[in-house]
Amino acid sequence: MKFRTTARLLLLSSAFAIPALAHAQAQESTAADADAPGRETIIVKGSRQKGSLEQEQLASPNAVAELSAAKIEQAPDVNLAESLARLPGVSVFNGGQGNTNSVATDIAGRGQGNYVALRGMDAEYNINLINGVEGAQGMPFSRQVPLNLLPPSGMHRIVVNKTFLPGLDGTAIGGSIDFRTPTAADFDRPTVFNVSVTGRLASRARDYKQDADGETATAEFAKTFGASKQFGFYVSGYYDRTNFTNSIVDGVYPAATNGQWTYALQNVDGTSAAPGSRADNLTSLGVNAGFTNGLITRYGGSASLDWAPDESQHWYIRGTYARNDIAQDSYYEQIYADSTSRTQIGTTGTYATNITQLRPRYYFSTSPEQALLATAQLGGDLKFGKLTLRPNAFFSAGEYNAPDHQEISARKPNSGSSLPYSGTTMFTYRDGQPILIGSAAQYAFFDGIANYNARRAGELSAEFSHQTKWGLKLDGDIDVDAGVFKTISFGAKYRDAYRKHTYNDYSSNRVFDAAGHEVSWSTLNIFDGSVSQVVPGLYNFSAPLINRSALDRLFNADIAQNYGTLADADDSCSDPGSVAGNINNHNCNTQSGHERVTSGYAMATFGVGIGQVLVGARYEHTDITNVYWTLPTDGAGNEIIGTFASSKTTYDKLLPSLQVNLRPSERLALRMSVSRTYMPPSFFQLAGGQRISKSGGGAEAGGTTSITQGNPDLKAMESTNFDASVEFANNTTALSVSAFYKALDNFFYSQVNNYANVSTETGATTISKPVNGGSGNVYGVELAGSVTIEAAPALPGSLVLSGNATFEGSRVDPKGGLSPNERLLYQPDLTANAQVSYLVGGLRADLSYRYTSDYVYQYAVIGGSSDLDGWVHARSQLDLHVAYAFGPAKLEGAISNLSNERSYYATIGRSSSTIGAIVDSGRTFTLKTSYQF
């Protein structure tokens, strides 16, 4: 609480003291100017530059890509992550894992983009800003910010900084994304009031006869007022809800989590006996066939107040708020092998797998998500002759919670023998989707899911993660204008971030016993309707739906009967029951800490003729303190009560940069830059907890001690960045070519609830902890262009052709037994966009196409080998958008995924389709109406 009180006092003092001083100075300056002959006073209202995107990009001192509100409206994207993918060098991803129990395929099952990568660097290596304020990173295991919580509305524009200048934070290897909300100065009229209403319909949800609708309502109001229009006020709000039901056929989760895989040909020790890649020798022993459905609710808005009393000062207050609540239920018929054997092929020493028994299962789980991102700032722009100062106080809060993850399952039966089977493989494949090879009788055995036998009364977990950031900064410029020496830019910043993460898991007792006592889960009174087919056209088993409230009652009754209280059922890290176990379980997944960054920079700008040189450096000092729980045992290996411990990490980084710009004309810009940036590891990798196991009295008594812990000595990943670009723009044509190269050192990556690249130091005391990988590089070329063609006399209006393509490559050395020539996670070889637009009168039609090639989403999903990496395969999407404006009103319609492509397809191994995961989200139809008062 102390730092919050201090922050409030600093904000209040800034709000009153600095304006008073600046206004006094301004009055003196204005009075002197008024007495000068022929001098007139000009009031500057703080309006942002109003030029085309291409003109602003040309004028920028560093390489940027911008996305305007008008451009965002031209595609039926459901959030800003998907909108950003329309830019060169930006990729969007549907999967990913955010919290302990999230599954990549379930997250992809929402049918929306979640995270973005810049120039081959995934979300944890970049910075997300809102109006220049760094967004708090509420996620528990990485430094990512989930962008799916931001709708494609309420933005003035989005600016992607692809190269580094000293005035930008240095922890952005890929780049930074600044989401800029409107102010009153961004409108041409003194009073503006806009409203819109959108309706959506999802085709795949209709296939399941589930709720398929979605709605969005937005409103914004802006007004400039005062005697000389020196005040500006803006406020906006939105509410959005989307129902979804999408089919999933997943063999990756059964393989990675439940061990449902093997090699078709094996050596006697079980290793792969086939030549070439092990991925090509895989056999799937199980698949989850089903669907996921839920409701995504988002709401928020932004507000700003601007005051420009005279030409020497402009003060502002900005605030934004965005929240999403996702209720998601996943239902899977689990077709799993229950018993296998091996048969030697002749006398070759090579063995073939025989599958001898199957056991049907049904699995229900939830993937709740509550995410929050809020910012506030108070700042100004003050001019004192040739000196400009920009003081700013800022605050940001982020949350990423899964408050009530639930699971329940059933089998047929739970114990004993099940369904006899005979074969070396279980599945045949149709367009990548596994289809059980079975008789009509075997298919019938899988049906009747409502009569399967219950396993437990459910399982519950609760996970909460949040971060707050506050700070102060001062930026300034001195207009030197001494020959080639033009300006000096400088600044200082202090930022304090606090985060906390907790996770607890609670399991009920089994409702069957080994003696064969079974309970049909139809008697548990938790069903609420059904679907006739778990995957229409592929697996036509009918399946029950679960009533969440009824499941809560069942679970709570079991906990009360067998444990007494929920806390006594906590099995987060060990079995419940003992005093030590209960205390440890309550605290073992609790971590908190501060990250305090003090930074300063200076940059000089030189200019002569068509040339401009910006040279400078930024220094950042980072102190990270983490508090975590230790799980010890006594000398005999018995669990004892743990305690909280702490660690400290410090980074000092000097980040030089050089930017050279050539502008032969106002339509052409050539840029070259070299810079240094870095990124600290995630808090979890630094200090995610400690487990201490002893035997024989421990190392101190001549026995052994094993320790698994985070590593506060992990190095920050560093990058030397090279960039060159050429941009051209006139009234009808825009072209750009960019090339980049990043040399990476101290590589690291994050994993959910697991240490990455664990190294073990052996001896009497064995210590296992994450360590840095080696070096690497990422490189690429970006091409972008647009042209406006006036239509022929026979066809009125104009045609706009636009598109971009980004070619990327990478090589990194993660170590940990992986290939030293791995590629970066979430780095596709090619991303491309193309759009054809036709405009005539109030009519506009846009046909857009987006393509993303294959990329690795997880190293070594199974088997600990790089040839068993998880790959997401190429995806394309064709969208249609039509709008007609008549006076102050506009009507829009859109269809996304016109060609009905699958939204997600992942496999273990790039070339193998044996173990894969497929999500089918269908098409979405949108109708929107808006009105400007």
Side-chain angles (χ1 to χ4, degrees), residues 433-449:
Q433 299 191 99
I435 303 171
L436 177 66
I437 302 171
S439 65
Q442 289 169 327
Y443 264 86
F445 190 84
F446 277 91
D447 210 350
I449 295 172

Side-chain angles (χ1 to χ4, degrees), residues 424-765:
T424 58
T425 184
M426 290 172 56
F427 303 103
T428 185
Y429 293 85
R430 185 175 71 199
D431 196 23
Q433 299 191 99
I435 303 171
L436 177 66
I437 302 171
S439 65
Q442 289 169 327
Y443 264 86
F445 190 84
F446 277 91
D447 210 350
I449 295 172
N451 295 314
Y452 283 13
N453 299 313
R455 191 163 183 81
R456 295 180 184 272
E459 183 177 355
L460 172 71
S461 67
E463 186 165 22
F464 298 90
S465 179
H466 74 269
Q467 184 182 64
T468 56
K469 293 183 179 182
W470 71 272
L472 301 169
K473 67 176 182 176
L474 177 66
D475 297 288
D477 299 296
I478 300 175
D479 185 8
V480 179
D481 200 17
V484 298
F485 193 4
K486 301 300 182 183
T487 61
I488 297 176
S489 301
F490 59 91
K493 179 180 179 180
Y494 175 79
R495 189 262 284 164
D496 187 347
Y498 173 79
R499 71 178 295 276
K500 185 175 183 179
H501 170 237
T502 63
Y503 173 80
N504 296 93
D505 184 82
Y506 313 91
S507 293
S508 62
N509 277 353
R510 288 183 173 182
V511 297
F512 75 98
D513 58 42
H517 173 69
E518 297 277 7
V519 176
S520 172
W521 74 332
S522 63
T523 65
L524 301 181
N525 298 318
I526 61 173
F527 294 165
D528 186 13
S530 64
V531 296
S532 59
Q533 300 171 324
V534 291
V535 183
L538 194 67
Y539 288 101
N540 298 321
F541 310 126
S542 63
L545 300 175
I546 304 298
N547 183 294
R548 293 283 299 278
S549 297
L551 179 57
D552 286 340
R553 289 192 294 270
L554 174 69
F555 176 79
N556 292 335
D558 184 90
I559 295 299
Q561 178 180 347
N562 293 291
Y563 296 98
T565 67
L566 186 64
D568 291 329
D570 193 336
D571 62 351
S572 298
C573 294
S574 62
D575 291 334
S578 68
V579 173
N582 287 349
I583 293 175
N584 288 337
N585 285 332
H586 180 71
N587 295 291
C588 61
N589 291 312
T590 297
Q591 182 200 10
S592 62
H594 279 274
E595 182 180 65
R596 299 177 174 93
V597 181
T598 305
S599 59
Y601 73 90
M603 181 180 72
T605 302
F606 302 89
V608 57
I610 64 171
Q612 181 188 51
V613 177
L614 300 90
V615 59
R618 184 181 186 90
Y619 171 77
E620 294 194 359
H621 171 78
T622 303
D623 284 318
I624 301 174
T625 56
N626 276 307
V627 177
Y628 55 90
W629 189 257
T630 63
L631 278 174
T633 62
D634 61 21
N638 300 309
E639 182 179 9
I640 59 177
I641 296 175
T643 185
F644 281 108
S646 64
S647 66
K648 184 175 181 178
T649 302
T650 300
Y651 300 111
D652 288 282
K653 301 297 177 184
L654 181 64
L655 308 170
S657 71
L658 172 66
Q659 176 90 32
V660 178
N661 300 322
L662 300 176
R663 293 188 173 86
S665 73
E666 62 180 11
R667 298 177 177 179
L668 181 64
L670 296 86
R671 295 188 179 89
M672 293 168 285
S673 72
V674 59
S675 62
R676 289 278 290 177
T677 52
Y678 76 108
M679 179 62 71
S682 71
F683 295 97
F684 180 80
Q685 298 298 321
L686 292 170
Q690 185 184 66
R691 294 173 182 262
I692 305 173
S693 299
K694 295 182 178 181
S695 63
E700 62 272 21
T704 61
T705 299
S706 298
I707 302 174
T708 301
Q709 63 185 25
N711 184 2
D713 297 323
L714 279 173
K715 298 177 182 179
M717 187 165 133
E718 299 180 349
S719 177
T720 302
N721 313 297
F722 302 89
D723 182 89
S725 63
V726 179
E727 296 181 49
F728 170 83
N730 61 21
N731 294 334
T732 61
T733 305
L735 298 170
S736 68
V737 179
S738 303
F740 62 89
Y741 179 88
K742 299 176 184 294
L744 308 175
D745 293 308
N746 309 320
F747 177 71
F748 65 78
Y749 62 98
S750 295
Q751 291 189 144
V752 171
N753 204 29
N754 281 300
Y755 294 128
N757 188 23
V758 174
S759 175
T760 301
E761 301 172 4
T762 59
T765 298

Side-chain angles (χ1 to χ4, degrees), residues 40-125:
E40 63 176 351
T41 301
I42 300 174
I43 305 298
V44 177
K45 303 305 179 191
S47 298
R48 299 183 186 178
Q49 181 181 1
K50 290 186 175 70
S52 69
L53 289 182
E54 292 79 10
Q55 290 171 335
E56 291 197 16
Q57 290 174 185
L58 280 173
S60 174
N62 63 316
V64 302
E66 298 194 17
L67 194 64
S68 68
K71 191 69 175 176
I72 293 173
E73 290 181 354
Q74 294 168 19
D77 301 320
V78 295
N79 59 48
L80 286 180
E82 295 186 347
S83 299
L84 279 165
R86 310 283 175 177
L87 293 174
V90 183
S91 310
V92 65
F93 310 105
N94 285 25
Q97 291 178 268
N99 52 51
T100 301
N101 290 303
S102 63
V103 178
T105 309
D106 288 347
I107 302 303
R110 298 169 184 171
Q112 299 187 3
N114 298 302
Y115 309 100
V116 298
L118 300 181
R119 291 191 158 181
M121 308 299 299
D122 79 33
E124 74 170 317
Y125 306 118

